[in-house]
Amino acid sequence: MKKTIKSCQHNRFKSISCIRYCGTNERMVVDIVTKNRMREDFVDIKEHDDSGLDYFQLNVSGKIIDFLRLHFLEAAFNLDESESVFQSIHNYMVDFFGDSMEYFWVTSDFVNTVPQLQKISSFIRVWNVNPDSIDLENFFSRNPPFKRIAFNVFRPTDFSPDSKFYQAESLVTVQHHNNFPSVLRHFQGRQAFVDCTHYNTEDVIEFVNRWKSGETFQKLEVLNFEVSQDDIDHETVLDGIGAKHIDARKTPPTHTLPKIKSRKDHIFEAAFNPDESESVIRSIHNYMLQFFGDSMKYIWSTSDWVNTVPQLQNLSPSILMWHVNPDLIDLENFFSTNPPFKMIEFHPTRPIDFHPDSKFYQAETVVTLQHNHYFPSVLRHFQGKQAFVHCTYHNTEDFIEFVNKWKSGEAFRKLEVLNFKALGDDDIDHETVLNGIGAKHIDARRTPPTHTLPKM
């Protein structure tokens, strides 16, 4: 049967780029990614549900596993056998697709160790993590070196010089503090992508010169350094690292690096002159409307909070405003010159209040990450339907007042969903909140009340 499937699906199998395990040790989705970046869910591996679901059993690489067929295949495990289930399913995948296929374990679980599976490369996202609340040094020591680490912590952190953190092949780090190059001090990998809110010119020059001289970072092939707020003094940096200008009349020296995968490799590109950008965009959008129809959803997704969004038919604008300094840009004026956004992801560098009738509050959805204590001011006059708030610090009284104004109908009358999450060590006092907002307990023997919301 396997040979028959492989034979008739030969072209389809050739289009597969990699197979990924995405999630945590408690729940993992296995998906198949094609060379043109399309993905298809293959199997969902999660804890056994004891609510009477109709499981059937399959023998997978010698282990009997319970399965469900819902939207796609689901495999179930008991808590004491999760790793053996992962192992059996992975062995089956390797047997079926072959060991020349790329297999990736992609996780944001920095507590449990990654299962030791054959022919697999592990990626981890350590994002918005408080190093005081978890022993990251110990976590990396218990795992094999990761192929890629995406790293963003609340405060500067140094690892031991021989830490496996530095043995990752690729490191992507976003730093809100001036802690470059400490996070790369003993890096032994090949690619480093650094996004800094603040930086020090001397640190960059010293880092590059140590790299150039061969003193350290001997395996490093790519360094990409971006600054989101401070301006880089290019001349000082270029002079400091001894950059040479290449005579335009001569053929520049060449060197070969492994190809870095990018979606741009497969995208059709249209070009415009600076004075005709809006007319080109409008023409392409009108063509899309004519081809796909006006019942299709069209979303303008941007992180440009300087220029206005083009006024295009049937278009919903969405904006990502990450690490924005309100002292450097007139945000009130920006929102007033644009139509209301469908979605705003908002993370300013300091607390900010908008005018009560600001179009900021007219967004359908606001997602905000706040490192300062200024909830609920950012939603004080919100008129939208969904609000997702992630706070480093919070005040229980503010939250209770917000929810009670919502419940009473005094404010937030269109609000359907409020998702509030406290990050770091500032725990939510659930009992105080539930009592403060007058939450009622539902008798488990009765059918709970129902309400309908749009699917999120």
Side-chain angles (χ1 to χ4, degrees), residues 395-409:
N395 183 299
T396 303
E397 288 73 27
D398 285 340
F399 183 76
I400 292 171
E401 180 188 0
F402 184 94
V403 175
N404 284 334
K405 287 174 73 177
W406 177 23
K407 280 182 63 181
S408 68

Side-chain angles (χ1 to χ4, degrees), residues 88 96 111 157 202 280 288 300 345 390 442:
S88 298
F96 192 86
V111 178
T157 180
E202 289 71 27
V280 169
M288 303 290 275
W300 182 276
E345 294 192 47
H390 292 189
I442 297 171

Side-chain angles (χ1 to χ4, degrees), residues 168-415:
E169 183 175 305
S170 180
L171 179 64
V172 179
T173 175
V174 176
Q175 305 176 11
H176 302 312
H177 309 277
N178 182 16
N179 60 317
F180 171 82
S182 65
V183 76
L184 294 177
R185 181 165 288 132
H186 307 287
F187 187 56
Q188 302 167 37
R190 296 165 62 185
Q191 300 172 355
F193 301 85
V194 182
D195 189 338
C196 287
T197 307
H198 310 286
Y199 84 110
N200 184 297
T201 304
E202 289 71 27
D203 286 341
V204 177
I205 292 171
E206 180 188 2
F207 183 93
V208 175
N209 282 335
R210 290 177 66 198
W211 178 24
K212 281 181 61 181
S213 69
E215 177 187 346
T216 52
F217 319 118
Q218 293 173 359
K219 295 179 183 177
L220 187 60
E221 297 170 349
V222 175
L223 173 65
N224 183 294
F225 186 82
E226 292 186 20
V227 177
S228 53
Q229 284 189 24
D230 295 341
D231 290 330
I232 295 178
D233 184 346
H234 293 89
E235 283 302 314
T236 301
V237 171
L238 290 173
D239 290 343
I241 64 176
K244 296 187 175 75
H245 292 275
I246 297 172
D247 190 329
R249 297 167 298 179
K250 296 181 179 179
T251 303
T254 60
H255 62 285
T256 302
L257 286 175
K259 185 177 180 182
I260 300 174
K261 291 182 179 178
S262 168
R263 289 188 176 189
K264 293 179 181 177
D265 293 345
H266 309 287
I267 287 180
F268 193 59
E269 293 187 3
F272 57 79
N273 295 316
D275 59 340
E276 59 176 1
S277 63
E278 190 160 340
S279 65
V280 169
I281 292 168
R282 184 178 299 281
S283 298
I284 290 175
H285 180 65
N286 288 342
Y287 180 86
M288 303 290 275
L289 273 171
Q290 182 188 4
F291 193 87
F292 292 103
D294 56 11
S295 60
M296 177 68 70
K297 284 186 180 181
Y298 299 89
I299 299 172
W300 182 276
S301 182
T302 184
S303 57
D304 179 357
W305 55 79
V306 178
N307 299 299
T308 56
V309 174
Q311 304 292 302
L312 302 176
Q313 181 185 351
N314 285 48
L315 188 73
S316 300
S318 179
I319 191 165
L320 176 68
M321 310 189 78
W322 225 237
H323 309 310
V324 180
N325 189 340
D327 300 320
L328 299 180
I329 185 167
D330 186 350
L331 291 175
E332 191 75 78
N333 179 61
F334 169 76
F335 286 110
S336 71
T337 54
N338 279 289
F341 285 89
K342 185 160 181 88
M343 178 166 177
I344 299 173
E345 294 192 47
F346 191 60
H347 178 195
T349 55
R350 66 161 176 79
I352 181 172
D353 281 329
F354 292 99
H355 191 271
D357 58 0
S358 171
K359 287 185 182 174
F360 173 85
Y361 295 120
Q362 296 175 30
E364 183 175 304
T365 301
V366 166
V367 179
T368 175
L369 174 62
Q370 306 175 12
H371 294 316
N372 308 93
H373 175 203
Y374 57 107
F375 170 81
S377 66
V378 75
L379 295 177
R380 181 165 287 133
H381 306 286
F382 186 56
Q383 302 165 39
K385 296 164 74 174
Q386 298 175 354
F388 299 84
V389 182
H390 292 189
C391 286
T392 306
Y393 307 102
H394 78 284
N395 183 299
T396 303
E397 288 73 27
D398 285 340
F399 183 76
I400 292 171
E401 180 188 0
F402 184 94
V403 175
N404 284 334
K405 287 174 73 177
W406 177 23
K407 280 182 63 181
S408 68
E410 178 187 344
F412 320 118
R413 293 183 181 178
K414 295 180 182 175
L415 187 61

Side-chain angles (χ1 to χ4, degrees), residues 91-157:
N91 288 344
Y92 181 87
M93 302 289 276
V94 172
D95 177 57
F96 192 86
F97 291 101
D99 56 11
S100 61
M101 177 70 70
E102 285 192 298
Y103 300 90
F104 297 120
W105 183 276
V106 183
T107 185
S108 56
D109 181 352
F110 40 83
V111 178
N112 299 300
T113 56
V114 174
Q116 305 293 301
L117 305 175
Q118 60 169 326
K119 306 288 180 183
I120 201 162
S121 300
S122 49
F123 290 17
I124 191 164
R125 180 179 169 86
V126 183
W127 218 245
N128 294 328
V129 177
N130 187 344
D132 300 321
S133 62
I134 186 166
D135 187 351
L136 289 175
E137 185 79 78
N138 180 52
F139 169 76
F140 286 112
S141 72
R142 289 185 286 110
N143 281 285
F146 286 90
K147 188 174 181 74
R148 182 184 177 102
I149 300 174
F151 192 66
N152 176 12
V153 292
F154 286 156
R155 64 161 177 79
T157 180

